[in-house]
């Protein structure tokens, strides 16, 4: 919606302009970049990283949050019912201990 109003660009449209490729190819390329970045981040988490453990965990948690927000559209500027339910559950529903 923001792009249609001319208010902002996204990674796909920027990649399209930079590389001079179609939206389909740009989307595929951006998805590949995301996959490769997840692999690098997981390697940092599982291996001997030059970064402090809490820094790596924080970076991964921020990536998880972004992935959840933007994976199926833009749940930040155009939240759907699923997004509303997720946010409300975080705020209003207690976290219960797991039964063993």
């Amino acid at each position: 919606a923001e792009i249609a109003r001319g208010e902002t660009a996204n990674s796909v449209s920027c990649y399209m302009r930079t590389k001079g490729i179609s939206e389909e190819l740009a989307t595929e390329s951006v998805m590949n970049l995301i996959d490769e970045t997840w692999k690098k981040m997981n390697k940092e988490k599982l291996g001997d990283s030059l970064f402090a453990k809490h820094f790596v965990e924080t970076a991964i948690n921020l990536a998880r949050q972004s992935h959840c927000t933007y994976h199926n559209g833009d749940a930040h500027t155009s939240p759907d019912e699923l997004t509303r339910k997720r946010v409300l559950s975080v705020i209003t529903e207690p976290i219960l201990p797991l039964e063993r």
Side-chain angles (χ1 to χ4, degrees):
E2 291 174 332
I3 293 170
R5 292 189 304 261
E7 295 176 355
T8 188
N10 63 26
S11 56
V12 172
S13 63
C14 290
Y15 203 86
M16 286 171 57
R17 286 189 200 121
T18 301
K19 300 291 184 179
I21 58 177
S22 69
E23 183 176 0
E24 184 179 333
L25 286 174
T27 299
E28 184 179 327
S29 297
V30 169
M31 296 301 289
N32 287 334
L33 288 170
I34 292 169
D35 288 344
E36 290 303 314
T37 302
W38 272 113
K39 289 176 188 175
K40 290 176 184 177
M41 292 176 72
N42 286 327
K43 185 177 178 182
E44 289 292 325
K45 182 175 176 146
L46 297 175
D48 292 329
S49 177
L50 297 175
F51 300 103
K53 184 177 179 177
H54 62 59
F55 177 82
V56 173
E57 289 175 359
T58 300
I60 289 175
N61 285 336
L62 287 170
R64 286 177 178 152
Q65 183 271 329
S66 294
H67 187 85
C68 182
T69 301
Y70 295 105
H71 184 66
N72 293 314
D74 183 354
H76 178 69
T77 58
S78 299
D80 57 9
E81 191 59 32
L82 177 61
T83 302
R84 287 184 184 93
K85 286 180 181 178
R86 284 181 179 163
V87 170
L88 284 174
S89 73
V90 169
I91 296 170
T92 61
E93 294 178 15
I95 299 172
L96 303 174
L98 296 175
E99 294 184 31
R100 293 183 185 217

